[in-house]
Amino acid sequence: MKKLLPNFRKTFLIVGFTFIVLPMGLFTKGLMLSMADFKVPEPILNSSHYFDAILWVYVHMMVIGLLILAIGYSIEELNKQKWIAILLLLVTSFYTYLDFRSADWVFGNALYKGESSIVPAMISLLVNLLFFQLVISLFINAKSTKVNNNGNN
């Protein structure tokens, strides 16, 4: 099972590249065409303010992806890996809440309409599961390392 689940670096690479590739797909298709799939009303889609806000959101997502990649490559100390993984689990959990809240489903407010509105929330949930398994794994590794270093514990 240990080989099946990604370690710190692989988890951060998966999440980082996901946060970069997904917005690139939206940019390629066109931001307003992509948002039209979520049945955003025409007057809003035509608003330069909405375009600017959506552009900022997806550029920001790509920057976060780059930062997650950099963290995945640079943090090697187990204690620091544990705390950054917890922090990102908490942050992405809040993003997941926001995605589910705005989706068109029984527990959402259907700000974005259609079956595809749940897709961002499901992607967020998978990211959270990656970080959750990583946190568990890192704390188990830290405990076993501590036991091995102490000898008898």
Side-chain angles (χ1 to χ4, degrees):
M1 187 71 164
K2 192 172 187 168
K3 296 274 183 191
L4 181 64
L5 298 174
N7 62 15
F8 181 84
R9 180 166 285 168
K10 287 179 185 172
T11 298
F12 276 65
L13 291 176
I14 292 167
V15 173
F17 280 120
T18 299
F19 277 31
I20 292 170
V21 170
L22 289 176
M24 289 174 74
L26 296 176
F27 287 129
T28 301
K29 181 178 180 180
L31 285 178
M32 294 304 102
L33 282 175
S34 297
M35 298 315 294
D37 290 345
F38 297 111
K39 298 177 180 53
V40 174
E42 197 72 30
I44 294 172
L45 282 176
N46 293 329
S47 165
S48 58
H49 291 93
Y50 184 71
F51 175 79
D52 184 61
I54 290 300
L55 176 65
W56 191 92
V57 164
Y58 288 112
V59 168
H60 185 72
M61 186 176 178
M62 291 176 70
V63 170
I64 291 172
L66 287 170
L67 291 172
I68 290 172
L69 284 175
I71 290 168
Y73 276 111
S74 61
I75 305 291
E76 294 185 5
E77 184 182 320
L78 181 60
N79 195 45
K80 290 178 181 174
Q81 288 179 349
K82 286 185 338 189
W83 296 111
I84 195 73
I86 288 171
L87 177 64
L88 284 173
L89 174 61
L90 294 173
V91 168
T92 58
S93 293
F94 183 67
Y95 289 157
T96 302
Y97 159 74
L98 293 175
D99 284 338
F100 275 109
R101 181 203 64 184
S102 300
D104 188 3
W105 71 305
V106 68
F107 298 110
N109 62 19
L111 179 63
Y112 297 98
K113 309 275 189 249
E115 291 178 11
S116 61
S117 71
I118 199 76
V119 172
M122 297 307 288
I123 293 168
S124 289
L125 184 60
L126 290 174
V127 166
N128 277 290
L129 291 173
L130 281 169
F131 281 131
F132 181 70
Q133 71 80 27
L134 179 62
V135 167
I136 299 299
S137 172
L138 289 171
F139 275 88
I140 289 171
N141 286 343
K143 188 173 185 173
S144 66
T145 302
K146 188 176 182 180
V147 167
N148 289 340
N149 289 340
N150 289 339
N152 295 335
N153 296 28

